[in-house]
Amino acid sequence: MDRFNAMRVFTRIVELGGFTRAADSLQLPRASVTILIKQLEAHLGVQLLHRTTRQVSPTLDGAAYYQRCVRLLADLEETEAVFSQARHNPRGILRIDMPAGIGRLIVMPALPEFSACYPLIELEIGLNDRPVDLVREGVDCALRGGPVLDESLVARPLVQLSQVTCASPGYLFQHGIPTSAAQLQGHRMVEYFSSVSGKRYGLEFLIDGQLHEIELPKRVAVNSADGYLAACEAGYGLVQTPYYHVARQLQAGTLVQVLADQAPPPLPLTALYPPQRHLSTRVRVFVDWLLELFARPGSFTTGS
């Protein structure tokens, strides 16, 4: 039995909550995963996992063993990277999750540069507007906009994304163009709400350094970034969104920016990864590449 391979399989089962999902994640037959765990438990002389028809969870011994495995595997990966070519040419699967708009409009167009530098890294990319559980879903690194809510994750700030307030030409023709936040009476907004928490978001403006939150009447509320913009283009009201997400619409004239001198606060974009993976060379080079990407002049800020 390859004990390190057995440890890798065991940690994936704990993180994903099942043998089948772990086998799919590691691209192994389920039977091989089952045999490895039986061999590992026999070698250690303890039961590591509770198995039911619905879920798999670690025993008390299994939970303690999992924590040791995570540290050992991280140390092993770092040691191999230091004393091998992997330090300069990392290899393996890198699982990433990011908002759909950032992936589609910013990261994907530039990604061939990363692959050219690191041809042995295989990328698995999830494009989601919902937050993912990095450990449970087996994600190595996630990009998230807004405040970091999970303090158990390692966070590396990437960029402050400029945000804009905008509406469709048809909406502004009907309701007028506001010249200040104080003139928003009689206007409507498209409301964005989180499909996970249910939190609803109004409009925010920075006026003389002070943050002002304004709620306007609405006729449509949506829970996706693309749907939010689609409702705006259809004339349902004002929206606030990162500039990169509407740069093409503003240039094409299908949306119009308003209240530019009372812009929303910038949106922080952060790379997150589990603390036990902070030594991963694959994660490190990818995050370093993201920092370089977002440092370039581009459609990330209204002044670029």
Side-chain angles (χ1 to χ4, degrees), residues 261-303:
D261 58 344
Q262 296 179 348
L267 182 72
L269 182 66
T270 307
L272 302 171
Y273 43 96
Q276 63 265 29
R277 295 178 195 161
H278 73 286
L279 295 176
S280 169
T281 305
R282 294 186 298 275
V283 172
R284 182 182 303 157
V285 296
F286 182 70
V287 173
D288 287 345
W289 176 77
L290 288 174
L291 286 166
E292 190 275 329
L293 173 65
F294 284 105
R296 303 175 191 173
S299 298
F300 316 135
T301 62
T302 53

Side-chain angles (χ1 to χ4, degrees), residues 205-212 261-263 265:
F205 299 92
L206 280 177
I207 303 173
D208 297 327
Q210 299 294 317
L211 181 63
H212 294 259
D261 58 344
Q262 296 179 348

Side-chain angles (χ1 to χ4, degrees), residues 39-59:
Q39 291 175 340
L40 183 61
E41 289 180 324
H43 173 75
L44 296 173
V46 297
Q47 182 180 349
L48 296 173
L49 297 166
H50 289 300
R51 303 165 179 84
T52 69
T53 56
R54 294 187 176 182
Q55 65 178 7
V56 176
S57 59
T59 63

Side-chain angles (χ1 to χ4, degrees), residues 177-187 203-207 212-216 238 259 261-262:
I177 300 175
T179 58
S180 72
Q183 293 186 351
L184 288 176
Q185 186 174 1
H187 280 270
L203 303 180
E204 296 182 336
F205 299 92
L206 280 177
I207 303 173
H212 294 259
E213 299 181 6
I214 296 178
E215 293 286 338
L216 294 177
L238 299 163
L259 302 174
D261 58 344
Q262 296 179 348

